[in-house]
Amino acid sequence: MTEQPGSTEPLVDQHDTVLLDLDGVVYRGAHAVPHAPEAIAALRQRGVGVMYVTNNASRPPATVSDHLTELGIPTEPHEVTTAAQAAAGLVADEHPAGTRVLVVGGVGLREALTEVGMTVVESADDDPAVVVQGFAPDVGWQQLSEALLAIDRGAEHIASNLDATIPLERGIAIGNGSLVAALVNATGRHPRSTGKPQPAIFHQAAQRAGARRPLVVGDRLDTDLEGARAAGYPGLHVLTGVDGPAELLRCAPARRPSLLALDLRGLLVPHPPVRRDGDRWVCADAVAWVEGAPGEAVVVLRTGDGERRVQGEVVLDLDELRAACAAAWAASDEAGLPTTLADAGVDISVRTRPEDVGAIA
Ligand SMILES: [Mg+2]
């Protein structure tokens, strides 16, 4: 979303498939994200392909699709791509069928490896060629030590994903990346990873969906949106999950989304373009620029007659946020900094306008 052409049609009319992240986009814990079931039903009605892409390697696709169906989002297992499948796909690309693979992880990973023809083993004494590691809540000393033995004897180490933490309803918990770090600490060598933000999982998901013009949708800049860029697909960031407006304004180039929406209803409405006008950035009625020294700069917005500085507690609409991001990103790039903005906290809320969410409930 530096200079962004936008879409005068509903955004999804430019794409044949959406690659949707799950947590923070479709559901949060046990509950659907508000408006997600209706928006996804509307996508299907338009004939748009839906593929769910998740870094969670512990649950097989059928468990994920059952959960979605229970939440009022009818889903088939083949519409889910997990990091476990991405890891299994990498193993199958590089090794013949029947290759012995030691699993550190759960049933999701075992099923994915079996499905691509690998032989899953439990012990380093079975002489595995590869150790594949994905999250499962019961991974502990025994599995990790077995993996260390196998790697020490020459097995290659592959991780489904490197998320340091996973979100739980009570807060954050240890993720696969932190369990991988235990092995890295012992081996001194880093594994390859296939989950987001690596592009492999998105390429596999698009291929399985038969997508020609996929759009990635996510709520985390460091996984979903960085992965979209790495994969070469446009990325839509929604504001229903982890990263909010303040993180967007400070986003490093590799993680920047192409498009912004409040929630999944944003797929069904047009998106005004963001364009540069001299040192200012314009999105519909909103004009944004950056004032101040590098490292202390502030975004200034003009909408109608009034000018506002984006600092402290502010309420923006989506076009203002789009223009503000484009201005902040360009100024940061020109200053040669990850972000040129001041360190002072900014608490931005985004108000909902009818044009940003369309007519569905
Ligand atoms: Mg997420």
Side-chain angles (χ1 to χ4, degrees):
M1 204 181 54
T2 39
E3 212 135 7
Q4 217 283 317
S7 170
T8 54
E9 302 294 311
L11 178 60
V12 79
D13 289 355
Q14 299 186 341
H15 300 277
D16 59 356
T17 306
V18 289
L19 306 179
L20 297 179
D21 175 52
L22 285 171
D23 216 335
V25 173
V26 178
Y27 56 62
R28 276 195 297 259
H31 306 286
V33 166
H35 313 293
E38 305 90 303
I40 291 166
L43 294 178
R44 291 193 185 280
Q45 229 165 21
R46 286 170 179 264
V48 176
V50 177
M51 174 64 82
Y52 300 96
V53 183
T54 175
N55 262 8
N56 187 334
S58 66
R59 302 187 303 169
T63 310
V64 177
S65 61
D66 284 351
H67 181 203
L68 287 167
T69 303
E70 276 167 26
L71 292 178
I73 305 165
T75 305
E76 299 290 328
H78 68 84
E79 293 169 317
V80 178
T81 296
T82 70
Q85 289 173 305
L90 178 68
V91 174
D93 281 347
E94 298 180 349
H95 297 274
T99 295
R100 287 191 289 276
V101 179
L102 180 74
V103 168
V104 181
V107 62
L109 203 47
R110 283 196 185 83
E111 271 189 23
L113 285 158
T114 306
E115 246 167 52
V116 296
M118 299 299 130
T119 302
V120 172
V121 300
E122 305 293 334
S123 165
D125 296 338
D126 295 324
D127 200 19
V130 188
V131 170
V132 180
Q133 181 170 10
F135 175 78
D138 56 350
V139 169
W141 181 88
Q142 205 154 14
Q143 277 193 351
L144 290 168
S145 295
E146 210 58 39
L148 177 57
L149 276 171
I151 293 166
D152 210 39
R153 294 175 187 174
E156 186 193 357
H157 185 195
I158 292 174
S160 65
N161 66 294
L162 296 173
D163 301 16
T165 57
I166 51 169
L168 299 181
E169 280 187 279
R170 290 166 58 210
I172 58 167
I174 294 287
N176 196 52
S178 297
L179 294 167
V180 167
L183 267 175
V184 170
N185 192 53
T187 63
R189 295 193 300 275
H190 288 266
R192 280 189 290 165
S193 167
T194 50
K196 300 179 254 185
Q198 299 303 315
I201 191 168
F202 286 118
H203 289 155
Q204 283 191 35
Q207 189 182 16
R208 294 179 67 221
R212 283 185 299 175
R213 286 170 296 136
L215 174 66
V216 172
V217 185
D219 70 305
R220 282 187 72 135
L221 299 167
D222 63 350
T223 53
D224 305 317
L225 281 306
E226 184 171 338
R229 279 194 180 268
Y233 303 151
L236 170 71
H237 184 84
V238 289
L239 296 170
T240 47
V242 170
D243 286 320
E247 286 82 21
L248 280 166
L249 286 177
R250 300 174 152 276
C251 186
R255 300 177 172 179
R256 289 173 190 162
S258 308
L259 297 149
L260 298 181
L262 291 168
D263 54 50
L264 290 181
R265 292 175 295 177
L267 288 163
L268 299 155
V269 294
H271 284 231
V274 181
R275 60 184 173 79
R276 183 166 207 154
D277 181 9
D279 59 352
R280 306 197 164 194
W281 293 83
V282 181
C283 181
D285 294 333
V287 183
W289 64 95
V290 170
E291 287 180 356
E296 298 169 8
V298 174
V299 176
V300 182
L301 277 169
R302 178 185 300 148
T303 309
D305 297 332
E307 275 184 20
R308 282 180 298 159
R309 297 167 77 80
V310 181
Q311 57 189 169
E313 253 180 72
V314 287
V315 180
L316 305 183
D317 66 40
L318 202 50
D319 293 338
E320 290 170 336
L321 181 61
R322 288 167 174 145
C325 283
W329 297 346
S332 299
D333 293 350
E334 279 159 26
L337 295 170
T339 179
T340 189
L341 299 182
D343 270 335
V346 52
D347 182 6
I348 305 170
S349 5
V350 182
R351 66 188 176 92
T352 305
R353 304 174 304 173
E355 59 263 49
D356 297 324
V357 295
I360 64 161

